[in-house]
Amino acid sequence: QVQLVESGGGLVQAGGSLRLSCAASGRTFNSYTMGWFRQEPGKEREFVGYIRRNGDYTYYADSVKGRFTISRDNAKNTLYLQMNSLKPEDTAVYYCAASSGTTRYHESLKSAYDYWGQGTQVTVSS
């Protein structure tokens, strides 16, 4: 089992940057594909991007491609989301999630993930 705790959220002006972190418990962090999702009030949780187990492949939603970067440090059991050129529409609660790869769902889908963090709020002011 994996426990995930996000941090790094906050209030930032449009055009600014934030880096989110997701600390994972346990010794098997490097066996999970890790994803980031976000959710605005009253809306469905939306895919942001994911990174494969050894960090050699990342995939992003079109809405964040070129502005957001996902990375991981398996030695520190930590996942990161670097967010640049932030826009007001990026305002949401951001969640990290871990996928063991035992489902048949693509990693861009919520159903592919076994464990979720509690989320961290990101607010971008215009």
Side-chain angles (χ1 to χ4, degrees), residues 6 20 38 43 45 48-49 55-56 68 76-77 79 85 95-96 101 118 124:
E6 302 95 336
L20 305 183
R38 65 188 182 184
K43 294 189 177 181
R45 194 166 295 188
V48 173
D56 63 341
F68 290 10
K76 296 182 178 180
N77 283 8
L79 172 73
S85 303
Y95 299 88
C96 65
Q118 83 291 345
V124 184

Side-chain angles (χ1 to χ4, degrees), residues 42-63:
K43 294 189 177 181
E44 290 288 321
R45 194 166 295 188
E46 174 189 37
F47 171 73
V48 173
Y50 75 84
I51 186 168
R52 290 268 167 88
R53 292 167 179 77
N54 61 4
D56 63 341
Y57 179 79
T58 53
Y59 180 81
Y60 300 93
D62 287 343
S63 59

Side-chain angles (χ1 to χ4, degrees), residues 47-116:
F47 171 73
V48 173
Y50 75 84
I51 186 168
R52 290 268 167 88
R53 292 167 179 77
N54 61 4
D56 63 341
Y57 179 79
T58 53
Y59 180 81
Y60 300 93
D62 287 343
S63 59
V64 306
K65 199 174 298 181
R67 300 187 299 122
F68 290 10
T69 302
I70 297 174
S71 61
R72 64 191 297 164
D73 185 337
N74 286 342
K76 296 182 178 180
N77 283 8
T78 304
L79 172 73
Y80 302 100
L81 178 65
Q82 177 67 44
M83 304 185 294
N84 298 329
S85 303
L86 282 162
K87 305 175 182 180
E89 51 263 44
D90 294 318
T91 295
V93 176
Y94 282 72
Y95 299 88
C96 65
S99 171
S100 61
T102 57
T103 75
R104 58 184 172 87
Y105 297 103
H106 187 268
E107 291 89 345
S108 62
L109 302 176
K110 297 188 295 293
S111 298
Y113 294 85
D114 306 284
Y115 305 102
W116 293 83

